[in-house]
Amino acid sequence: MTEGPVVATPYGAVRGRYENGLAVFRGIPYAAPPFGPRRFQPPAPPEPWDGVRDAGAFGPTAPKPPYSEPFARLLADPVVPGDDCLNLNVWTPDPGAGARLPVMVWVHGGALTRGSSAVPVYDGRAFARDGVVFVSFNYRLGVEGYGLFPDAPANPGLRDQLAALEWVRGSIAQFGGDPERVTVFGESAGAISIGALLASPYARGLFRRAALQSGPPEATDRDKVRRLVRRMAARLRIPATAEAFAAADRDALAEAQAEAGRRASPVLGGPAFGIVVDGDLVPCEPMEALTGGAAAQDVELLLGWTSEEYRLWLAPTGLLERVDRLGPVALAGAMARCRSGPEVPRGYRLIHPGASTGDLVGQMVTDHLLRVPLHRLADAHRAASYVYEFAWPSNVPGLGACHALELGFVFDTAGLPEAARLAGPGAPQELADAMHSAWVRFAVDGDPGWQAWDATHPVRMFGAGEPEVVYGPRDRELALWEADATTVEPPPVPPRRTVLPLSMVRRFRRTGGVRRP
């Protein structure tokens, strides 16, 4: 405890560790423990401490249910017990004030219900090795961070993220970082969170650049969140209030949350926790703010997706094969999910004549939910946006170029056992070198190394060979949605308690998707 770098923060000094020539600090509180009277409330500053606080180990993770078994095999999600879960970590090549190095702040994904900064794939050593001060943090998840109650403010988890960025603004110079050169980047729910922060007046000036990986700016319908809270309350036999939930056992809350959200997925839909428009931190729909000029336009953007996002959501549970067996019923369900006319699935079939029904449904929903809005965002921020697609297929059978697969390459941690769960053995190091260096370049000077977005729609493809720029690789599919929006009357929204047509839901429950005589 007498060795290791010591840095002063606004609340007290912390002692980190030297690891491979880099200074690493873990588990630094940026806010007080969000329990007791602070439960379901906005984050409060941490209590100052005397002396030097040890920052050698990851701090507690936010309460969360475990992944279901099929996903637990693929996605590492460590649990560190304790109440002080609003903490962050710093990797820096130079822990001295005055270095003024670029800063990258990671916002983890996990559907706003799982994940943490302690996931091994998110190790920041490669960024620090390459001259960047790297920060990652935990924030409240699930009902703790995104439940809607009549007696508590909305979006406490997003408010945690804002508090972490404010800590970076005020403290990162002491760790060698430049508070004027902050890049936030996140994947999936992390990217959705960044989209909301981009549109929030409270976050202006806290970061200069942003990378949104596989997640668009969006707000969740308040009714979807309320339905999930009510399901939990019914299971727990308590009122749907913050006061009642705060008095409930934490393990019981986690179990109720897992059960209430068991049937929901990005492809099938269903009630879910998410960021909501609250008239304050999120004053309006984030996409509307970002494309309509109501939000800051001076933030440089890196935007992208994987080629087969949907395979992580559908393949591990066998749902992809069940969708194949449903055939036209599944396509009708996709139309209802996306509120599209029949010309959209017909167009996808013409563009991809050899694709299975499961692949067509997956690509349709992925384009509607993710690629269309990210295209819109890039169009609204031309000359300051760069777009990529990750196309390398996993060596794990059935996963393809699925959601979250690019993370081990962006972090240059693809060789870790936890990354190999998703990528399989033999992930190409040259691909990690290319992606990681592009993210570092973007943080350093705002240019990841390829042409900025314009009317030709340049997309950097990271695949099995040398990365290359392809022009308009998704334009034919995305044009179908533009035509659909202008010429086709969308079908009615499905009944509130169903996401797919009722016949499809019943068949799934009765037969597992197999048509029986």
Side-chain angles (χ1 to χ4, degrees):
M1 293 300 298
T2 60
E3 299 180 359
V6 175
V7 172
T9 79
Y11 306 104
V14 292
R15 187 188 305 278
R17 302 288 188 273
Y18 284 112
E19 300 175 6
N20 301 313
L22 304 170
V24 184
F25 303 79
R26 297 181 175 92
I28 303 172
Y30 69 84
F35 298 104
R38 302 189 186 97
R39 196 92 173 266
F40 301 107
Q41 298 301 310
E47 289 291 330
W49 58 86
D50 296 325
V52 179
R53 182 183 180 122
D54 182 47
F58 286 113
T61 52
K64 56 189 173 180
Y67 282 113
S68 61
E69 194 273 334
F71 297 103
R73 294 198 307 264
L74 300 171
L75 304 171
D77 196 12
V79 173
V80 181
D83 285 356
D84 208 356
C85 61
L86 301 185
N87 59 73
L88 53 77
N89 320 293
V90 181
W91 279 256
T92 176
D94 186 351
R100 310 294 287 187
L101 297 171
V103 181
M104 296 187 75
V105 181
W106 171 246
V107 186
H108 73 78
L112 297 177
T113 56
R114 296 173 176 88
S116 78
S117 63
V119 173
V121 176
Y122 307 155
D123 190 287
R125 62 179 179 265
F127 288 106
R129 175 200 69 198
D130 294 335
V132 171
V133 177
F134 173 85
V135 180
S136 60
F137 61 85
N138 295 333
Y139 56 93
R140 278 174 283 182
L141 303 169
V143 71
E144 301 276 357
Y146 298 94
L148 264 181
F149 299 102
D151 53 341
N155 299 316
L158 188 65
R159 295 175 190 276
D160 295 342
Q161 297 179 23
L162 182 68
L165 288 171
E166 289 171 339
W167 184 97
V168 170
R169 179 76 179 178
S171 305
I172 205 63
Q174 302 303 315
F175 293 82
D178 185 348
E180 301 298 328
R181 300 171 70 196
V182 174
T183 298
V184 291
F185 69 124
E187 186 265 348
S188 192
I192 292 170
S193 299
I194 291 170
L197 291 169
L198 279 166
S200 175
Y202 291 93
R204 290 182 186 172
L206 294 180
F207 49 87
R208 182 173 175 179
R209 302 181 178 103
L212 281 69
Q213 302 172 214
S214 300
E218 66 178 14
T220 301
D221 181 76
R222 295 175 73 94
D223 267 354
K224 291 180 70 173
V225 179
R226 287 195 185 100
R227 281 156 52 200
L228 195 53
V229 170
R230 286 197 295 265
R231 286 185 184 183
M232 290 182 62
R235 185 172 181 84
L236 295 165
R237 298 182 180 180
I238 60 175
T241 64
E243 181 182 15
F245 272 61
D249 176 76
R250 283 192 214 174
D251 291 338
L253 270 184
E255 291 176 9
Q257 178 177 306
E259 181 59 30
R262 185 168 59 88
R263 296 184 183 274
S265 81
V267 174
L268 299 179
F273 289 116
I275 297 162
V276 298
V277 173
D278 58 16
D280 178 33
L281 180 61
V282 187
C284 64
E285 174 67 44
M287 180 59 79
E288 292 178 6
L290 291 169
T291 58
Q297 302 290 308
D298 57 348
V299 177
E300 296 159 315
L301 301 176
L302 176 61
L303 313 169
W305 48 75
T306 71
S307 295
E308 299 170 291
E309 300 271 1
Y310 61 93
R311 285 189 166 268
L312 181 64
W313 305 321
L314 296 181
T317 59
L319 189 55
L320 194 62
E321 291 79 7
R322 295 202 292 274
V323 171
D324 280 341
R325 292 193 289 268
L326 283 167
V329 176
L331 286 174
M335 288 170 54
R337 175 81 171 103
C338 301
R339 304 189 67 189
S340 82
E343 292 303 319
V344 172
R346 285 189 201 130
Y348 273 80
R349 179 63 75 189
L350 289 172
I351 295 170
H352 304 283
S356 68
T357 300
D359 286 330
L360 287 180
V361 167
Q363 290 289 10
M364 275 182 60
V365 176
T366 299
D367 287 349
H368 174 70
L369 297 178
L370 199 155
R371 294 190 184 107
V372 169
L374 287 180
H375 262 245
R376 285 183 59 204
L377 182 57
D379 282 340
H381 289 256
R382 286 189 182 183
S385 296
Y386 299 85
V387 178
Y388 74 91
E389 179 169 326
F390 181 83
W392 181 79
S394 170
N395 288 321
V396 176
L399 288 184
C402 70
H403 189 70
L405 182 58
E406 88 282 9
L407 293 175
F409 298 89
V410 169
F411 278 81
D412 194 9
T413 54
L416 294 179
E418 292 82 2
R421 292 188 190 184
L422 209 57
Q429 181 59 45
E430 60 271 18
L431 181 56
D433 293 341
M435 290 202 79
H436 176 75
S437 64
W439 265 244
V440 170
R441 286 186 57 171
F442 180 68
V444 171
D445 61 18
D447 180 359
W450 64 88
Q451 181 182 344
W453 188 257
D454 59 21
T456 66
H457 294 177
V459 177
R460 185 72 155 180
M461 302 292 289
F462 292 96
E466 188 74 19
E468 61 177 342
V469 171
V470 178
Y471 293 90
R474 300 282 173 179
D475 282 4
R476 289 192 298 167
E477 292 92 338
L478 300 185
L480 296 170
W481 298 100
E482 294 180 13
D484 185 71
T486 57
T487 64
V488 177
E489 179 74 20
V493 180
R496 175 170 292 183
R497 294 186 178 275
T498 62
V499 181
L500 302 174
L502 192 55
S503 60
M504 184 177 179
V505 174
R506 286 172 175 164
R507 189 178 301 165
F508 267 128
R509 290 175 177 171
R510 187 175 65 249
T511 70
V514 179
R515 185 183 292 274
R516 295 178 180 174

